[in-house]
């Protein structure tokens, strides 16, 4: 591997042009949240193109799981960096984000101007049903790869119980799983990995990379503050989402947990129901679910920017995107040269494998949460001391969503239709249902 991450022996057949087309395809088809996106990239990059082997893919995934921010986008950036250096990482990461960001910008501006109209609500019902089936399929795929033995299954179950019943923070689950995997893995005698020579990376080079990307992240946002002032909504968005970029482990759902109260009650940028609409839009468009931040930035600047609403909305979306995703390139380009060292560290590998098993439980929690809120109109939280239980109100069943969910599962699991076909069929059936009912 050369100093920029390119493995000439592994990737000799993959030109930058070919890789660009594949990254664009992945960006356009990256529905279903991180579980579906990680599974789709595995199918394309490992099974079909064979641009990266299973071992390196899972090692990269484990590394990205440790980072704040969207793990699927960061995994794409890491694989792109391995193939074609910094240019490849930028292409992979940007193409993973920009198609979905363009769609989200249009939908956010329409939402800001007109609100949610009945036909779009009906469409979301169908697409949410399809996304639920897609996430379940991806969860099964990841489980088969990540859960190798009883200890992994136990970790996944404990992680699910901790977050679903006790609301244990995701970073605490990650730390506990890492410690468990580290201490139960022998320090020697498990070197079954390939003996991959890894060149030493000078700390000065790492520091230089970090300094460059820190400046790329911070300087444009500081310029926003200088131009508009410290109290302007764009400056507030820059600070708010930069802070979130550092502390939000666990993807979009953890972002919602961190930001919902401040966005609704602190800054009064959005109302509570609009946060759920933001997640619905992110769930039903390509790209990372963390694009909910773009929706928030658009609406906040549209309403409180003090200038032309359309221009302010676009600027708000740009600030949110920059503050959310620029740090991802910092984490990857500074840390990626060290990832291969995990191959020669059995205990570190054990810790990361345990994290992967625990993340399966976390994804299961998100799947259950999403299923409850897709099929039922009302879900109650009942406390039992330190524990709580999510219990849906059976009378609040959303029958169109429930039936469309059954259709989506049949399309994916019985008829083996693709993701896009399933999304189109369920969305079309939902709109037809709405038209007939009207």
């Amino acid at each position: 591997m050369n100093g920029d991450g390119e493995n000439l022996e592994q990737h000799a057949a993959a030109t930058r042009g070919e890789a660009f087309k594949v990254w664009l395809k992945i960006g356009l088809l990256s529905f279903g949240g991180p579980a579906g996106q990680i599974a789709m990239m595995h199918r394309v990059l490992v099974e079909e193109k064979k641009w990266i082997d299973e071992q390196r893919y899972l090692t990269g995934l484990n590394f990205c799981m440790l980072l704040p921010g969207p793990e699927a986008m960061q995994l794409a950036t890491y694989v792109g960096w391995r193939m074609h250096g910094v240019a490849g990482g930028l292409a992979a990461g940007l193409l993973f984000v920009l198609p979905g960001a363009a769609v989200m910008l249009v939908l956010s501006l329409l939402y800001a101007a007109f609100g949610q109209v009945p036909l779009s609500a009906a469409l979301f019902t169908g697409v949410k049903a399809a996304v639920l089936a897609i996430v379940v399929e991806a969860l099964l795929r990841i489980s088969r790869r990540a859960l190798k033995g009883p200890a992994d299954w136990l970790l996944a179950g404990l992680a699910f119980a901790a977050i679903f019943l006790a609301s244990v923070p995701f970073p605490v689950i990650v730390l506990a799983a890492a410690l468990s995997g580290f201490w139960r893995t022998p320090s020697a005698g498990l070197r079954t990995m390939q003996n991959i020579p890894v060149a030493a990376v000078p700390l000065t080079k790492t520091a230089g990379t970090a300094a460059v990307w820190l400046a790329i992240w911070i300087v444009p946002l500081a310029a926003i503050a200088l131009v508009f002032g410290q109290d302007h909504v764009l400056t507030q968005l820059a600070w708010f989402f930069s802070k979130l970029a550092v502390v939000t482990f666990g993807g979009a759902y953890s972002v919602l947990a961190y930001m919902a109260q401040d966005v609704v009650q602190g800054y009064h940028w959005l109302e509570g129901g609009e946060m759920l609409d933001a997640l619905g839009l992110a769930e039903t468009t390509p790209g990372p679910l963390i694009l909910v931040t773009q929706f928030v930035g658009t609406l906040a600047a549209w309403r409180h920017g003090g200038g032309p609403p359309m221009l302010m909305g676009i600027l708000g979306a740009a600030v949110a995107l920059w503050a959310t995703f620029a740090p991802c390139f910092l984490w990857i380009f500074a840390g990626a040269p060290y990832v291969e060292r995990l191959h020669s560290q059995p205990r570190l590998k054990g810790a990361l494998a345990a994290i992967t098993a625990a993340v399966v439980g976390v994804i299961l929690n998100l799947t259950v949460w999403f299923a409850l809120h897709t099929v039922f109109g009302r879900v109650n939280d009942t406390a039992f001391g330190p524990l709580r239980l999510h219990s849906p109100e059976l009378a609040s069943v959303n029958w169109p969503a429930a039936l469309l969910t059954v259709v989506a599962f049949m399309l994916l699991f019985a008829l083996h239709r693709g993701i896009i076909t399933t999304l189109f069929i369920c969305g079309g059936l939902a709109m037809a249902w709405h038209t007939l009912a009207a």
Side-chain angles (χ1 to χ4, degrees):
M1 180 162 36
N2 68 18
D4 290 325
E6 184 177 5
N7 188 316
L8 299 177
E9 184 176 320
Q10 175 82 5
H11 308 298
T15 68
R16 294 189 179 187
E18 292 169 339
F20 183 93
K21 293 177 182 177
V22 171
W23 293 124
L24 179 59
K25 175 185 175 182
I26 289 174
L28 291 171
L29 300 181
S30 57
F31 293 89
Q37 292 158 357
I38 290 167
M40 180 183 65
M41 284 195 291
H42 180 272
R43 183 170 63 249
V44 174
L45 301 175
V46 178
E47 298 175 3
E48 296 178 5
K49 299 296 183 180
K50 303 187 187 303
W51 285 346
I52 185 170
D53 59 45
E54 178 91 12
Q55 175 180 293
R56 289 186 174 91
Y57 184 84
L58 290 178
T59 299
L61 173 59
N62 290 333
F63 168 66
C64 294
M65 288 291 187
L66 290 173
L67 303 175
E71 60 269 28
M73 175 266 182
Q74 291 173 148
L75 179 59
T77 305
Y78 171 73
V79 176
W81 172 86
R82 277 195 55 83
M83 293 173 61
H84 298 117
V86 172
L90 279 172
L94 291 175
L95 289 174
F96 193 91
V97 172
L98 291 181
V103 175
M104 179 63 82
L105 177 61
V106 173
L107 294 177
S108 299
L109 293 173
L110 290 173
Y111 189 102
F114 304 109
Q116 191 183 75
V117 297
L119 189 61
S120 68
L123 175 62
F124 288 161
T125 298
V127 177
K128 285 179 183 179
V131 169
L132 175 57
I134 292 167
V135 170
V136 170
E137 182 190 40
L139 175 63
L140 294 175
R141 287 180 179 174
I142 291 177
S143 299
R144 286 193 292 267
R145 293 200 309 272
L147 305 181
K148 303 296 186 182
D152 292 333
W153 282 93
L154 178 61
L155 270 175
L158 291 174
F160 171 76
I163 196 168
F164 185 78
L165 297 176
S167 300
V168 176
F170 182 78
V172 174
I173 293 175
V174 168
L175 178 61
L179 291 175
S180 169
F182 184 88
W183 290 113
R184 66 184 173 88
T185 303
S187 59
L190 290 181
R191 298 179 183 273
T192 58
M193 309 286 288
Q194 299 177 35
N195 186 20
I196 302 173
V198 182
V201 181
L203 290 179
T204 54
K205 183 174 182 179
T206 301
T209 300
V212 167
W213 282 98
L214 186 63
I216 291 173
W217 170 17
I218 297 298
V219 170
L221 300 180
I224 291 287
L226 289 175
V227 171
F228 290 93
Q230 294 184 0
D231 296 329
H232 194 272
V233 66
L234 291 177
T235 304
Q236 293 175 336
L237 287 169
W239 163 245
F240 183 66
F241 287 121
S242 292
K243 179 176 64 175
L244 289 182
V246 176
V247 302
T248 49
F249 296 85
Y253 290 94
S254 65
V255 169
L256 283 177
Y258 276 100
M259 78 177 180
Q261 185 172 359
D262 283 344
V263 166
V264 175
Q265 299 177 6
Y267 292 100
H268 303 288
W269 289 334
L270 275 72
E271 298 178 0
E274 291 174 332
M275 287 300 302
L276 292 176
D277 291 338
L279 180 59
L281 285 174
E283 291 278 10
T284 53
T285 53
L289 293 183
I290 208 169
L291 286 174
V292 293
T293 59
Q294 183 187 1
F295 179 93
V296 172
T298 302
L299 265 65
W302 177 289
R303 294 168 176 173
H304 307 286
M310 182 71 72
L311 175 60
M312 287 292 108
I314 294 172
L315 288 176
V319 168
L321 281 174
W322 194 272
T324 299
F325 291 103
C328 297
F329 294 106
L330 166 60
W331 315 143
I332 294 298
F333 293 146
Y338 298 93
V339 173
E340 291 292 358
R341 296 181 183 275
L342 299 174
H343 289 282
S344 59
Q345 300 293 329
R347 279 192 158 178
L348 288 179
K349 179 178 177 291
L352 293 176
I355 291 173
T356 303
V359 166
V360 171
V362 175
I363 295 174
L364 175 59
N365 167 71
L366 302 181
T367 305
V368 173
W369 184 92
F370 190 45
L372 291 174
H373 288 81
T374 297
V375 177
F376 296 94
R378 292 183 298 276
V379 179
N380 301 318
D381 286 347
T382 305
F384 298 94
L387 305 179
R388 60 176 173 77
L389 182 65
H390 301 287
S391 55
E393 294 186 16
L394 299 181
S396 70
V397 173
N398 183 336
W399 287 109
L403 293 175
L404 287 169
T405 299
V406 173
V407 171
F409 273 87
M410 290 181 60
L411 288 169
L412 277 176
F413 289 92
L415 301 178
H416 304 292
R417 295 293 183 263
I419 292 174
I420 298 302
T421 300
T422 302
L423 285 165
F424 272 106
I425 290 176
C426 290
L429 288 174
M431 288 192 292
W433 189 310
H434 169 77
T435 301
L436 292 173

